[in-house]
Amino acid sequence: HSSGFEAKDGQILTLEITSSINGSVDLFLFSPSNQEQRITMGGSSETKTIPLSEGRWSYNCTGFFDSGTISIVGTLNLQHINILLC
């Protein structure tokens, strides 16, 4: 599967991965400057966070597994910064 999305500078992509597969799946995430990030997922559930820069991001997902299911849900959030004033 391939697609893309628009991001603002400082946004965070959170990936919620729910997996029971016997094998592996690779998610390739490409930044607006075409830098590749490869995320390999197996048979366990996990959460990944990725800081984003402004622009069009694209991705594709491929993999081979014998059995099980995998769900990858991505959400974009604004990054929150806590500042302490003395």
Side-chain angles (χ1 to χ4, degrees), residues 23-45:
S24 66
V25 170
D26 291 315
L27 175 68
F28 296 93
L29 184 63
F30 298 93
S31 72
S33 61
N34 210 30
Q35 292 179 324
E36 177 187 302
Q37 293 184 49
R38 179 180 179 177
I39 301 168
T40 301
M41 297 157 278
S44 61
S45 297

Side-chain angles (χ1 to χ4, degrees), residues 49-61:
T49 56
I50 299 143
L52 303 174
S53 57
E54 187 167 346
R56 178 91 179 147
W57 287 73
S58 59
Y59 64 89
N60 66 49
C61 195

Side-chain angles (χ1 to χ4, degrees), residues 44-81:
S44 61
S45 297
E46 58 187 307
T47 300
K48 301 260 185 195
T49 56
I50 299 143
L52 303 174
S53 57
E54 187 167 346
R56 178 91 179 147
W57 287 73
S58 59
Y59 64 89
N60 66 49
C61 195
T62 186
F64 297 98
F65 53 95
D66 297 327
S67 62
T69 60
I70 186 166
S71 169
I72 306 166
V73 177
T75 56
L76 288 175
N77 300 322
L78 289 176
Q79 183 178 12
H80 297 282
I81 300 171

